[in-house]
Amino acid sequence: MSNRWKKTLVIMAIAVLVVTFFVFDLQRYLTLAELKTRQAEFQDFYAAHRLLTLGLYFVLYVLVTALSLPGAAVMTLAGGALFSFLPALVVVSFASSIGATLAFLVSRFLLRDWVQNRFHDRLAAINRGVEKEGAFYLFTLRLVPIFPFFIINLVMGLTPMRTLTFYWVSQVGMLAGTAVYVNAGTQLGQINSLGGILSPGLLFSFVLLGVFPLIARKGVEIMKKRQTLKNFPQPKKFAYNVIVFGAGSAGLVSSYIAAAVKAKVALIEKHKMGGDCLNTGCVPSKALIRSAKMLAYGRRATEFGFRKTETEFEFGEVMERVQRVVGKVEPHDSVERYTGLGVACIQGDARITSPYTVEVDGRTLTTRSIIVATGASPFVPPIPGLEQVDYLTSDNLWQLRELPQRLVVLGGGPIGCEMTQAFARFGAQVTQVEMGEQIMGREDPDVATFVRQRFETEGVNVLTGHAAKQVLTEDGEHILVCAHQGEQVRVPFDRILVAVGRRPNVKDFGLEELGVRLSDRGTVETDGFLRTNIPNIFCAGDVAGPYQFTHTAGHQAWYASVNALFGDFKKFPVDYRVIPWVTFTDPEVARVGLNETEARQQNIAHEVTVFELAELDRAIAESEDHGWLKIITPPGKDKILGVTIVGTHAGDLLAEYILAMKHGLGLNKILGTIHPYPTLAEANKMAAGEWKKAHVPEKLLAWVEKFHAWRRK
Ligand SMILES: Cc1cc2nc3c(=O)[nH]c(=O)nc-3n(C[C@H](O)[C@H](O)[C@H](O)COP(=O)(O)OP(=O)(O)OC[C@H]3O[C@@H](n4cnc5c(N)ncnc54)[C@H](O)[C@@H]3O)c2cc1C
């Protein structure tokens, strides 16, 4: 029997039972008045048929709870009145827990998949919470009988909570409330209303009981923190509220926020203020890409109505410009600026010597908390022979002043792709080597193919499915040996740029000695509050992962800083719901949320709407009419699950969708917003229009057509 049929049968069975209950007004038997009137009759029956009465009572109780029918409270009183306290407590406790679990299972069977599919992203955090601490919250809810139990049963069924956990937590959690009602049942004569059973005093006691686990948990947390920190003598006074390690994107924002809320903060940097982003990452790479783009435009002169343009250049001078750009941004991240903001900037090699102390230049600084923001470094794979050649990474690339004639770029990720295209545009013969089946492994295959084709048009030799095995030097010539479909492929080169990923900086500043745990990926392991296993050491940026972007480093920094400073009172879980990123190739590739491949892999019901930039007036006027916007939505809904944009200024266009996703705005809202003509941003509205066109109410329009025809008569 198909699942659909099974569901239909379950729904029909429930409907029949519920309708019977109300049509025959069975509810009248489950009232206090009825119970009191017939108490003697019930007791006589029980005296004559003990086991039968107990059995019938049990089954009836399970049915009432499983079907979420009104009457469980009266039944509990009846139990007390009939069976005396202890037997009634046992019977009711099992019957109510089994009934609640059946209700939980029915709700799960009928609705969970639908609810989880429909509200997938909104429920992600709740699911994680339930998986981690669901039993605890259920226990609290069960202890306080002011929360309607039937709602708890049904809602919990929609979550990933295990059935066994639900059962035993319910059984234990409901025991206190059950005892109160059963006990009341033993003195039925004195009860005049159901409301009267829970006097304000008793209710208050239950609330206290319910709050108790929360207080207990806080207590356990404080104890655990003390336990972890007990081997480290706590200074009498702290010189700082927080010390931040690393003045990259994460460290700068962390210390900025700490200073803004008037905390005393020290920022320790062992190399250069600004970290990777300013010195060896985003800023120099984007400056280099800009110069390369100028050259590329020059080569397209005829497309723009010129006969010819000539650009003479020295690669070394281009690299000097890159440094001038870095120099221009430098003041934003400088010691002067941050000192002015109230941050104590310390240059030097520092060590964390205890959760409360940091040593730098022979001085010991005391602090209440620490934020580790030491970033990541280029990962250099152990390829035999690689160490023997003077390989390049994103760290030393910027010192290059001579353009390599033949450049191998190892890696098809964002850094590899950006540098491949830039160097090819300057005239290097670039071979890009990627082990996976496509470059830009995280993006949809059509996106990767489009970018690859552009690279090939610009003279890049793109080798996917090629695993680098060895570097040889023969007669003074360097050769990269790759394995490809069982064959050996030899790629001669002058310089090789290694861009196969970045490894978190976790060594040599005291983390190992303190026993700070690392994840499988080599990042510092943190909880949802960016706290390490040492409760006053927090972590943000590339060293924490899972993302390695400047904007995520800054985003995490807020949470790390606020939790480090105020976490004893209130902690904020880091929010990863809407994370965008951009690869700055030409065309740019920008993404937020799901792409088509992920939606398929995760079995998320979805529709795809595509708008081609070839249709956009401004893109045509700019001769940039290539690329597309691809929007993922749930079937029939305008809610945005993800967007990929491939095209000129894709990163800037994406901002509107990031905002929309973050604040729950759908495509109809984008369509209803005026976008100035002619701009690239209009593409967003056009894409929303494409979605709308695919969802016109055809049947309604057929009637409207008839209406107009009638009006013409
Ligand atoms: C070529 C390239 C291009 C990139 N382009 C982009 C882009 O376009 N967009 C984007 O979002 N991201 C980009 N990134 C990634 C981005 O640069 C990083 O995600 C970002 O810099 C991470 O910030 P962070 O603060 O975690 O680390 P970092 O910026 O690396 O800062 C860490 C700092 O800690 C210091 N440090 C390390 N150990 C210690 C210690 N023991 N004591 C004191 N200080 C220490 C380091 O010297 C460094 O200054 C790019 C990266 C590269 C390499």
Side-chain angles (χ1 to χ4, degrees), residues 246 248-250 269-270 275-276 281-282 286 374-375 541-542 548-551:
S249 315
E269 170 57 53
K270 72 169 182 185
D276 265 359
C282 332
K286 267 76 252 181
T374 48
D542 283 7
Q548 290 188 327
F549 305 115
T550 290
H551 44 275

Side-chain angles (χ1 to χ4, degrees), residues 524-536:
V524 173
E525 190 180 285
T526 53
D527 62 11
F529 305 101
L530 294 172
R531 191 172 45 173
T532 69
N533 59 310
I534 309 280
N536 67 332

Side-chain angles (χ1 to χ4, degrees), residues 244-252 268-283 285-286 348-350 373-376 378 394-395 397-398 415 418-419 502 505 507-509 540-544 547-553 582 584:
V244 181
F245 263 63
S249 315
L252 288 169
I268 303 179
E269 170 57 53
K270 72 169 182 185
H271 190 43
K272 284 184 175 176
M273 293 287 284
D276 265 359
C277 184
L278 171 65
N279 299 294
T280 56
C282 332
V283 176
S285 62
K286 267 76 252 181
D349 232 336
T374 48
S394 59
D395 274 356
L397 180 68
W398 312 107
I415 299 174
E418 289 179 6
M419 291 303 102
R502 297 171 52 71
N505 295 328
K507 287 203 162 44
D508 302 329
F509 58 95
D542 283 7
V543 71
Y547 301 98
Q548 290 188 327
F549 305 115
T550 290
H551 44 275
T552 46
V582 182
F584 293 88

Side-chain angles (χ1 to χ4, degrees), residues 386-440:
L386 185 59
E387 289 295 337
Q388 276 74 58
V389 296
D390 184 16
Y391 62 82
L392 296 164
T393 67
S394 59
D395 274 356
N396 61 3
L397 180 68
W398 312 107
Q399 279 119 48
L400 207 62
R401 291 296 177 268
E402 240 176 70
L403 183 71
Q405 240 194 356
R406 295 170 304 173
L407 175 71
V408 163
V409 175
L410 204 56
I415 299 174
C417 285
E418 289 179 6
M419 291 303 102
T420 289
Q421 190 177 40
F423 275 84
R425 286 179 162 186
F426 286 118
Q429 289 167 38
V430 182
T431 304
Q432 189 181 20
V433 178
E434 163 58 47
M435 195 161 71
E437 285 311 306
Q438 64 173 55
I439 55 169
M440 296 191 169

Side-chain angles (χ1 to χ4, degrees), residues 291 294-299 308-314 318:
S291 295
M294 282 280 290
L295 274 178
Y297 269 125
R299 292 191 189 111
K308 190 174 161 197
T309 57
E310 265 179 27
T311 316
E312 279 183 21
F313 75 99
E314 268 297 326
V318 171

Side-chain angles (χ1 to χ4, degrees), residues 2 38 59 80 98 225 228 276 278 283 306 409 445 507 513 546:
S2 76
R38 306 185 67 176
V59 171
I98 292 171
K225 187 170 174 178
T228 315
D276 265 359
L278 171 65
V283 176
F306 304 106
V409 175
K507 287 203 162 44
E513 291 81 349

Side-chain angles (χ1 to χ4, degrees), residues 303-554:
E303 274 183 57
F304 294 91
F306 304 106
R307 285 193 197 150
K308 190 174 161 197
T309 57
E310 265 179 27
T311 316
E312 279 183 21
F313 75 99
E314 268 297 326
F315 181 70
E317 287 168 21
V318 171
M319 292 302 263
E320 289 304 330
R321 170 190 174 260
V322 169
Q323 287 313 312
R324 283 200 300 280
V325 171
V326 172
K328 212 165 171 179
V329 181
E330 235 163 29
H332 303 170
D333 299 351
S334 65
V335 169
E336 292 72 26
R337 175 165 182 238
Y338 275 79
T339 309
L341 290 168
V343 177
C345 296
I346 300 171
Q347 179 74 38
D349 232 336
R351 278 190 85 75
I352 304 174
T353 44
S354 91
Y356 304 115
T357 52
V358 167
E359 265 184 36
V360 57
D361 298 335
R363 285 186 295 155
T364 299
L365 311 178
T366 55
T367 178
R368 245 192 197 284
S369 51
I370 293 171
I371 297 175
V372 175
T374 48
S377 305
F379 169 60
V380 180
I383 298 171
L386 185 59
E387 289 295 337
Q388 276 74 58
V389 296
D390 184 16
Y391 62 82
L392 296 164
T393 67
S394 59
D395 274 356
N396 61 3
L397 180 68
W398 312 107
Q399 279 119 48
L400 207 62
R401 291 296 177 268
E402 240 176 70
L403 183 71
Q405 240 194 356
R406 295 170 304 173
L407 175 71
V408 163
V409 175
L410 204 56
I415 299 174
C417 285
E418 289 179 6
M419 291 303 102
T420 289
Q421 190 177 40
F423 275 84
R425 286 179 162 186
F426 286 118
Q429 289 167 38
V430 182
T431 304
Q432 189 181 20
V433 178
E434 163 58 47
M435 195 161 71
E437 285 311 306
Q438 64 173 55
I439 55 169
M440 296 191 169
R442 293 177 77 168
E443 308 304 340
D444 281 337
D446 55 348
V447 174
T449 306
F450 190 72
V451 175
R452 179 187 180 137
Q453 281 165 355
R454 173 63 82 91
F455 282 11
E456 287 170 344
T457 319
E458 295 186 6
V460 177
N461 179 23
V462 182
L463 302 178
T464 48
H466 283 64
K469 290 288 173 198
Q470 196 181 4
V471 173
L472 301 173
T473 305
E474 290 176 356
D475 302 328
E477 180 173 67
H478 305 312
I479 297 158
L480 176 72
V481 182
C482 303
H484 175 63
Q485 298 178 348
E487 307 257 304
Q488 230 188 40
V489 177
R490 292 162 65 92
V491 186
F493 66 88
D494 299 312
R495 299 300 300 266
I496 182 167
L497 170 64
V498 181
V500 292
R502 297 171 52 71
R503 182 173 266 176
N505 295 328
V506 292
K507 287 203 162 44
D508 302 329
F509 58 95
L511 291 186
E512 305 100 316
E513 291 81 349
L514 274 187
V516 172
R517 274 202 295 271
L518 302 184
S519 73
D520 298 341
R521 284 171 290 125
T523 51
V524 173
E525 190 180 285
T526 53
D527 62 11
F529 305 101
L530 294 172
R531 191 172 45 173
T532 69
N533 59 310
I534 309 280
N536 67 332
I537 301 185
F538 291 75
C539 197
D542 283 7
V543 71
Y547 301 98
Q548 290 188 327
F549 305 115
T550 290
H551 44 275
T552 46

